[in-house]
Amino acid sequence: MTGNTEVVVIGGGYAGVMAANRMTQRAGVTVRLINPRRTFVERIRLHQLVAGSHEAVVDYGKVLGERVRLVVDTVTRIDAAGRRVTLASGGSVGYDYLIYAVGSDGAGPRVPGADEFAHPIATLEEVRRLRPVLDAAPASAAVSVVGAGPAGIETAAELAEAGRAVTLVCGGVLGPYLHPRGRRSVAGRLGRLGVTVVEGPDTVVTAVTRDGVQLSDGRVLPSQVTIWTTGFGVPELASRSGLSTDSLGRLLTDETLTSVDDERIVAAGDAAAPSDLPFRMGCQSAVQLGPQAAETVLSRMAGRQPAPVSVGFAGQCISVGRRTGVFQFAHRNDVAVGVYLGGRPGARLKEFVCRSTVWQLGYEARKPGTRTWWGKDDKRRLLLQDQSGEVPAAAGRVGR
């Protein structure tokens, strides 16, 4: 250890980069960002990598501050009592404060044959393994995309626009987050691209074979390439290290993002579960949680009480090919409203969001302390009161 305060950030995604950059606004702090890759992954562009229209990576030099030390390695265990993390390479790194931003990955398909024949695309490595499979498949090969969230819709659209015969297997409703108006816009564009959308309560995939997918209603759809986009999980690092987690494995924290087990450990991004009421996974929450995790650490260093987390949402942005998109507007509590922006303007807005997110990371690197966030929504406040058994005066209960 040096005379400086040593801060280790685990995970170099949107939340981790934001947190690491934010920490550099204070002198006398050494910040180490530990990440298994040498490049930043634009996860919101992975569907483009599937179809070959973008590499989905950015050099860390463009998004990390000069004072952040990048350590290319994987943390295998956190020793909270000893304030050290063990690395896969065999070494270890000590810390005064730890920011846990390991992100999320695919939950993994859990149906017969899926491990062998389905291709998940939650990580850069998984997409890169899929690319040669697609390249080797004839242009006429039937491709099934399982899952009708943003990743499924975007992947199906990209491949169809590239000339592939694509079936989108929803396992329920198309775009469950979307308002019916936004959903109709997405469905219309998918239809024009030639995507066959299979939706409804009986469209859950129950098995995957080499050349097909079986649905819960007994149908078997031909599929030479099956792409799996449904479900998210988180790395098991926290639970493996003896820290308290929720049922999915996210680190349990209080409303300041501080671990319920150790005030020297703060979480951000997809792997954080503040008050066991985690926010929707994605870069929209990650770029707000990252700097707030750093502010919690900075407050503790200064002897101040950290502020409670404050996250708001603008909606959900989905590209439907390269020329069309939908921005589904929402209340700050993440509930969709009947307003959306579609067509070419929607596509332009989606591209702006992708570019501006990387720009935000770089701007925080150059001018740490500038990133702000939305105000907290009333629904979360009521849920917290409900969870603690408090009854808010002059306010009705909010359903979960």
Side-chain angles (χ1 to χ4, degrees), residues 50-383:
V50 172
S53 63
H54 200 283
E55 290 301 311
V57 293
V58 173
D59 188 274
Y60 268 117
K62 294 184 178 181
V63 297
L64 270 187
E66 292 182 355
R67 287 180 52 202
V68 179
R69 303 179 184 179
L70 177 63
V71 179
V72 181
D73 213 323
T74 299
V75 175
T76 58
R77 189 170 182 82
I78 300 167
D79 176 5
R83 294 184 194 163
R84 300 194 72 81
V85 296
T86 304
L87 305 179
S89 63
S92 66
V93 177
Y95 65 84
D96 294 306
Y97 291 93
L98 177 71
I99 298 179
Y100 186 81
V102 298
S104 60
D105 50 26
R110 294 183 176 88
V111 300
D115 285 341
E116 184 176 2
F117 300 115
H119 302 273
I121 57 169
T123 67
L124 178 69
E125 291 75 20
E126 288 171 341
V127 177
R128 285 178 170 171
R129 287 194 290 270
L130 171 62
R131 285 294 309 148
V133 175
L134 280 168
D135 291 341
S140 59
V143 177
S144 291
V145 177
V146 180
I153 292 169
E154 292 180 328
T155 301
E158 292 280 339
L159 291 173
E161 199 170 66
R164 290 287 184 178
V166 182
T167 297
L168 179 61
V169 185
C170 297
V173 67
L174 173 69
Y177 179 93
L178 300 172
H179 186 276
R181 294 177 181 174
R183 184 173 299 120
R184 284 194 292 271
S185 177
V186 170
R189 178 56 181 168
L190 289 174
R192 289 189 291 275
L193 287 172
V195 177
T196 299
V197 177
V198 181
E199 61 177 328
D202 296 324
T203 61
V204 175
V205 174
T206 57
V208 181
T209 65
R210 186 182 302 277
D211 54 8
V213 293
Q214 181 174 315
L215 306 185
S216 51
D217 63 4
R219 280 182 292 170
V220 177
L221 305 178
S223 181
Q224 278 71 60
V225 181
T226 301
I227 301 172
W228 200 277
T229 71
T230 184
F232 278 96
V234 298
E236 298 177 348
L237 176 60
S239 58
R240 189 168 62 240
S241 300
L243 298 170
S244 297
T245 63
D246 71 359
S247 59
L248 196 63
R250 291 171 289 213
L251 185 69
L252 285 176
T253 76
D254 63 16
E255 282 292 285
T256 72
L257 300 176
T258 304
S259 166
V260 297
D261 302 310
D262 190 330
E263 71 173 15
R264 297 281 180 148
I265 300 176
V266 179
D270 290 354
S275 302
D276 204 12
L277 291 171
F279 298 98
R280 171 162 57 95
M281 292 182 176
C283 71
Q284 191 172 172
S285 55
V287 296
Q288 298 179 72
L289 291 168
Q292 291 184 76
E295 289 293 341
T296 289
V297 173
L298 290 167
S299 293
R300 293 199 186 283
M301 291 172 60
R304 301 190 304 268
Q305 175 61 33
V309 65
S310 177
V311 173
F313 292 86
Q316 190 175 82
C317 201
I318 302 175
S319 64
V320 194
R322 291 295 82 214
R323 294 182 291 276
T324 301
V326 169
F327 188 91
Q328 171 64 69
F329 289 91
H331 296 294
R332 288 188 179 181
N333 65 7
D334 208 23
V335 176
V337 299
V339 180
Y340 72 93
L341 180 68
R344 288 185 181 274
R348 287 194 290 268
L349 181 54
K350 167 70 175 188
E351 181 60 24
F352 172 78
V353 167
C354 290
R355 293 189 182 190
S356 65
T357 301
V358 172
W359 179 87
Q360 286 180 63
L361 300 178
Y363 193 76
E364 185 72 23
R366 298 187 298 275
K367 297 182 180 297
T370 57
R371 179 64 170 89
T372 56
W373 40 86
W374 296 91
K376 184 186 293 184
D377 62 83
D378 287 337
K379 182 178 179 181
R380 183 173 182 84
R381 176 175 59 82
L382 295 175
L383 287 172

